[in-house]
């Protein structure tokens, strides 16, 4: 099988989690940069990474990279890339996303337009035609220019990997599925431990935890754009990768995963999403205020995304939520708590300094992931 350089973008601050996932899949990581991890793999890796990576945004095949400080250099560098290895004569191709950081070329629309012209010129000469109907399969191109180095990737995922296919309905400010998965993976929680999310919204944290506990691959119930590219990744490779993922599912695992929300309608939405994900039997959802948070077990975990106050005019209501959360957390027996928030007084109102905090960008919003560590269960 042909070897590729594959690029997996992710949330800024979570590169180490994605790197571990890729290594666990059996692939060699060649480069870790802000917001993306590059690794080496064949066509089987394209399929397995799309189906199995919980924390990536998408999987790109790196077409090439080059330096460009002028639009002429961008045109010539793009034209020199082997587009015919990937895009057939009837393929639809466009630069769907261009981003530039600390570079001489900075206009996304100009970058997209010039690269499209260069690709057309290359393919016209290879296929010996003067016009492309572009009535075949889609081949979306994504480009980043960092300090004048252009990196060109072919998007094999299509719809972002955070869309697992189970979340048809959402809360007002939902957390992305891949971000939720990455945050869970930053904790010591495992499937046989207690997990409670007292602000579960549409159920993302409990559902992602249940998927992990049952070893259900996040991409098992969705399609990917490269499934139409039989000349790049064959149909048999996709079939084998899906079969492998199905064989690894273990629904016999016993879990104690719970999701609460003050809004009964959100709890109904969370239940519906869990059913679509195939994990509704593993999660207990309930309409409950954070003031009623309790559990008889020891060594449990709270993993949550409480209100930030970004959309609430009454900051005092947010303060009250965090104070109540802190009180209920302190009453639990040797529990740990992990939460993502941009609320600046979180530690003060919870009345405990976090043992760790990590800066993470949730979209464009700077947030912190706070870790309040409880006692570890005895090995006995």
């Amino acid at each position: 099988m042909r070897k590729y350089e594959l690029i997996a973008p992710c949330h800024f601050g979570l590169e180490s989690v994605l790197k571990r996932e890729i290594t666990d899949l059996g692939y060699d990581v060649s480069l870790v940069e802000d917001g993306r991890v590059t690794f080496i793999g064949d066509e089987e890796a394209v399929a397995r990474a799309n189906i199995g990576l919980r924390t990536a945004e998408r999987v790109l095949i790196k077409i090439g990279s080059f330096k460009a400080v002028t639009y002429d250099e961008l045109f010539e560098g793009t034209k020199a890339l082997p587009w015919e290895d990937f895009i057939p004569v009837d393929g639809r191709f466009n630069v769907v996303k261009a981003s530039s950081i600390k570079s001489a070329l900075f206009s996304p629309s100009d970058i997209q337009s010039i690269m499209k012209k260069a690709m057309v010129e290359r393919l016209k000469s290879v296929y010996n035609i003067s016009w492309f109907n572009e009535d075949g399969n889609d081949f979306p191109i994504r480009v980043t220019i960092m300090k004048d180095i252009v990196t060109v990737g072919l998007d094999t995922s299509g719809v972002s990997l955070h869309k697992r296919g189970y979340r048809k309905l959402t809360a007002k400010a939902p957390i992305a599925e891949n971000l939720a998965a990455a945050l869970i993976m930053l904790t010591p929680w495992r499937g046989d431990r207690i997990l409670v999310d007292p602000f579960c919204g549409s159920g993302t944290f409990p559902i992602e935890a249940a998927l992990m506990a049952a070893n259900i691959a996040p991409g098992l119930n969705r399609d990917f754009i490269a499934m139409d590219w039989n000349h790049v990744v064959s149909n048999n490779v996709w079939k084998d990768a899906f079969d492998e993922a199905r064989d690894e599912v273990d629904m016999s695992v016993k879990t104690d995963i719970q999701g609460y929300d003050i809004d009964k309608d959100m709890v109904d939405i969370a239940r519906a999403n869990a059913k679509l994900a195939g994990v509704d039997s593993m999660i207990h959802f309930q309409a409950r205020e954070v003031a009623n948070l309790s559990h008889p077990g020891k060594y449990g975990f709270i993993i949550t995304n409480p209100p930030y106050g970004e959309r609430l005019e009454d900051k005092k209501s947010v303060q009250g939520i965090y104070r109540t959360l802190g009180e209920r957390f302190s009453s639990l027996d040797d529990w740990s708590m992990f939460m993502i928030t941009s609320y600046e007084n979180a530690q003060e109102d919870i009345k405990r300094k976090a043992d760790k905090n990590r800066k993470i960008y949730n979209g464009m919003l700077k947030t912190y992931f706070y870790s309040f560590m409880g006692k570890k269960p005895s090995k006995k």
Side-chain angles (χ1 to χ4, degrees), residues 56 125 132 166 178 180 295 316 321 337 352:
S125 64
F132 290 93
Y166 67 74
N178 58 343
H295 196 290
K316 288 185 178 179
I321 288 170
M337 180 166 70
R352 176 169 164 180

Side-chain angles (χ1 to χ4, degrees), residues 271 274-285:
R271 288 195 184 109
K275 188 170 185 178
L276 281 172
V279 294
D280 49 314
S281 64
M282 301 172 63
I283 307 170
H284 173 68
F285 288 109

Side-chain angles (χ1 to χ4, degrees), residues 188-229:
W189 180 83
R190 296 296 177 266
D192 60 348
R193 305 283 294 278
I194 303 163
L195 187 153
V196 175
D197 180 0
F199 306 97
C200 74
S202 53
T204 309
F205 272 126
I207 292 170
E208 288 296 319
L211 291 173
M212 291 181 198
N215 204 28
I216 300 173
L220 190 54
N221 297 310
R222 57 158 286 177
D223 295 330
F224 308 94
I225 198 168
M227 292 173 70
D228 293 327
W229 307 346

Side-chain angles (χ1 to χ4, degrees), residues 59-78:
V59 177
L60 311 175
I61 296 175
K62 183 178 176 181
I63 306 297
S65 62
F66 54 89
K67 185 175 182 178
V69 295
T70 67
Y71 285 117
D72 282 344
E73 289 176 340
L74 179 66
F75 183 93
E76 294 301 331
T78 303

Side-chain angles (χ1 to χ4, degrees), residues 105-165:
L105 305 180
F106 56 84
S107 167
S109 59
D110 289 339
I111 293 166
Q112 290 168 299
S113 174
I114 285 165
M115 292 188 70
K116 169 76 175 189
K117 290 176 183 175
M119 293 164 66
V120 168
E121 286 301 309
R122 168 82 181 206
L123 293 175
K124 277 168 61 176
S125 64
V126 171
Y127 294 128
N128 197 27
I129 58 175
S130 59
W131 179 260
F132 290 93
N133 289 324
E134 297 194 48
D135 54 2
N137 294 319
D138 285 311
F139 294 84
I141 312 300
R142 290 177 176 263
V143 180
T144 58
I145 307 180
M146 169 67 79
K147 296 180 179 178
D148 300 320
I149 301 299
V150 183
T151 302
V152 186
L154 177 62
D155 180 8
T156 68
S157 304
V159 175
S160 173
L161 294 182
H162 82 267
K163 297 197 174 183
R164 323 293 204 202

